Amino acid sequence: MASPRPRSGTIPSMEASGQELKENTIIVVLGASGDLAKKKTYPALFGLYRMKFLPHDVQIIGYARTKMDDAEYHKRITSYIKKPEGDDQFEQELENFKGFSSYISGGYDDAESFKNLNAALEKIESGYAHKKPNRVFYLALPPSVFIPVAKHLKEQCHAPNGVNRIIIEKPFGKDLESARELLSSVKEHWTEDETFRIDHYLGKEMVKNLLVLRFANVALNAAWDKNSISNVQITFKEPFGTEGRGGYFDEFGIIRDILQNHLMQVLSILTMERPVSFAAEDIRDEKVKVLRAIPPIERSDTLLGQYVGANGKPGYLDDDTVPRNSNCPTYAATTLWIHNPRWEGVPFILKAGKALNEAKVEIRIQFKDVTQGIFKEIGRNELVMRIQPAEAVYLKLNTKTPGLETRAIPTEMDLTYKRRFLDAKIPEAYESLILDALKGDHSNFVRHDELDVAWKIFTPILHWIDGQAGSKPIPVPYPYGSRGPKEVESFIGKYGFKRQGAEN
């Protein structure tokens, strides 16, 4: 009998992962009463349950300081789960989900609370046939309690025989020193193999697709260097301001909130060398290598902005929770340089801002000018990858106008996902990442040395903004609902970007 033909387009090293948790597993969500848990964690867990990706007989325990009964807990955790139109099974599956989700209240810094949690875990596990139970601890918590919680979980709630995993949310510190303190404290209790540091951008469909686009297409890879590329922009835009949460935002600012983590993750995948395989450590090795080739950001390569009231919307300083005269940037554009043979001399411009004109995250790779001579004033090629919303990849090309006239006009080869993949369901980033953690696959999580080198790049500029290195910079104002500071045009222009049309 002939052996079955292998499936085409497989990526063997990416499909092989760590020890997958398929049964006898409890997922503990710490911070279960908070916004992150109800808006992201629980909807993702319910989505995985509906797609039959949670372990068999899984139990979910919510843990937080808030006192509430199961009815109130179930109401909270399902408040952001939306019923799809015409879905007859939704209500029953939601009830099933509530059935294996329970709640325990307790503190974050006392051993007794965690002993109580462990007793609840052991009671559930006593009903498992297999005597090697697995525990996954998801920290949907502020970083101020990461260290005591990680310590108490290890000392009081670590399953002695089964698999234990801890998932930690950003921010991972505020600068290099605080990040190192946090990393070393967690590592005292949890091994790197047990630890999964979430940056949810690594779970986004288009970010995951970058690896395949780059390394499965000779046509793209051949032009992926300083010989063909003029400049690269990675842009993050939000159409709303702090909306009463300015006190929290003011502590971190747009650079810590977006650039140092989300956009740097995109940059590292975009620029890393081809890995030996798509196994987790091979990918992360190459990401760290390229990040180590980036020097700390210079002040001269930085533009900072802060939104002011416009279009009937309040400015940043109008938010009562924001300190008066705060210099916290709500917009930042920074240019990074990669000193290696592939990228020497190519500017990578990271831009992020709140209270802008639209919601958009995209990568824009602008290629060099075509040799003139036979052409005059012809546009540049651009490869654009839209991460959100409405995932798309399109390549701007020059082509002859149809008809008798011989002129070149710009056009696009367009892969818009919702048109090309009509029946595909693109998973939420948190669904994808929680599933990876259950599989034991670290590919899309942040390794400790990767975090360390990313903080080295940004810490000097952050200390300047915080006033730890001389007088604080004053961000330039920009109107709420605009495209950002008017100075952005000249800023990106000095790095060789040529605007073509109304985009970006």
Side-chain angles (χ1 to χ4, degrees), residues 331-342:
Y331 182 98
T334 60
T335 302
L336 287 73
W337 307 89
I338 302 175
H339 296 315
N340 67 15
R342 181 184 293 272

Side-chain angles (χ1 to χ4, degrees), residues 235-239 351-353 356-361 483 504:
T235 303
F236 173 99
K237 300 172 83 172
E238 275 185 342
K351 301 183 300 179
L356 298 177
N357 62 324
E358 61 181 332
K360 182 171 72 174
V361 183
R483 291 171 60 173
N504 214 32

Side-chain angles (χ1 to χ4, degrees), residues 270-473:
L270 192 70
T271 58
M272 71 185 210
E273 295 300 316
R274 177 187 167 106
V276 174
S277 79
F278 277 170
E281 296 315 307
D282 289 336
I283 292 172
R284 300 201 295 183
D285 284 347
E286 293 303 333
K287 288 170 69 180
V288 171
K289 281 181 192 174
V290 76
L291 290 176
R292 289 175 68 181
I294 302 173
I297 299 164
E298 299 286 345
R299 298 182 188 184
S300 57
D301 284 330
T302 304
L303 172 67
L304 305 173
Q306 187 183 86
Y307 68 88
V308 295
N311 306 309
K313 295 286 190 177
Y316 180 67
L317 296 180
D318 299 325
D319 186 331
D320 291 338
T321 64
V322 171
R324 290 176 64 84
N325 302 318
S326 168
N327 76 316
C328 177
T330 61
Y331 182 98
T334 60
T335 302
L336 287 73
W337 307 89
I338 302 175
H339 296 315
N340 67 15
R342 181 184 293 272
W343 297 116
E344 186 70 50
V346 177
F348 289 84
I349 306 161
L350 310 187
K351 301 183 300 179
K354 299 182 81 67
L356 298 177
N357 62 324
E358 61 181 332
K360 182 171 72 174
V361 183
E362 73 172 22
I363 303 162
R364 184 174 296 265
I365 298 171
Q366 190 170 77
F367 293 89
K368 292 186 173 182
D369 289 316
V370 69
T371 303
Q372 298 299 301
I374 57 175
F375 297 108
K376 185 179 179 183
E377 296 178 358
I378 195 166
R380 286 177 166 181
N381 295 144
E382 287 184 347
L383 178 64
V384 179
M385 288 165 276
R386 192 186 311 124
I387 296 170
Q388 69 180 47
E391 294 87 348
V393 183
Y394 56 93
L395 178 63
K396 291 191 172 186
L397 298 171
N398 295 301
T399 187
K400 176 191 168 296
T401 52
L404 298 175
E405 191 176 19
T406 306
R407 293 180 64 84
I409 59 166
T411 187
E412 296 172 355
M413 291 178 64
D414 186 352
L415 167 60
T416 297
Y417 272 45
K418 64 184 178 185
R419 289 203 298 263
R420 174 62 180 83
F421 305 112
L422 296 175
D423 299 323
K425 180 192 180 297
I426 295 176
E428 295 293 328
Y430 277 89
E431 291 176 351
S432 179
L433 291 173
I434 292 172
L435 180 59
D436 283 346
L438 291 170
K439 288 179 175 178
D441 185 351
H442 283 83
S443 304
N444 297 305
F445 294 87
V446 185
R447 200 167 69 186
H448 67 101
D449 53 345
E450 188 181 342
L451 200 54
D452 192 85
V453 72
W455 277 117
K456 282 181 185 175
I457 294 166
F458 280 92
T459 291
I461 211 84
L462 290 169
H463 283 178
W464 172 51
I465 293 167
D466 293 342
Q468 297 181 45
S471 58
K472 295 180 179 181

Side-chain angles (χ1 to χ4, degrees), residues 141-146 170-175 178 182 242 244-258 260-261 306 316-317 319 321-330 354 455 461-463 465-468 472:
L141 294 166
S144 56
V145 296
F146 282 177
K170 78 166 188 73
F172 312 112
K174 290 188 69 177
D175 56 13
S178 60
L182 178 61
T242 52
R245 297 184 70 244
Y248 170 82
F249 181 83
D250 203 79
E251 190 181 343
F252 294 96
I254 197 73
I255 292 179
R256 289 185 181 93
D257 197 38
I258 304 297
Q260 186 274 338
N261 40 71
Q306 187 183 86
Y316 180 67
L317 296 180
D319 186 331
T321 64
V322 171
R324 290 176 64 84
N325 302 318
S326 168
N327 76 316
C328 177
T330 61
K354 299 182 81 67
W455 277 117
I461 211 84
L462 290 169
H463 283 178
I465 293 167
D466 293 342
Q468 297 181 45
K472 295 180 179 181

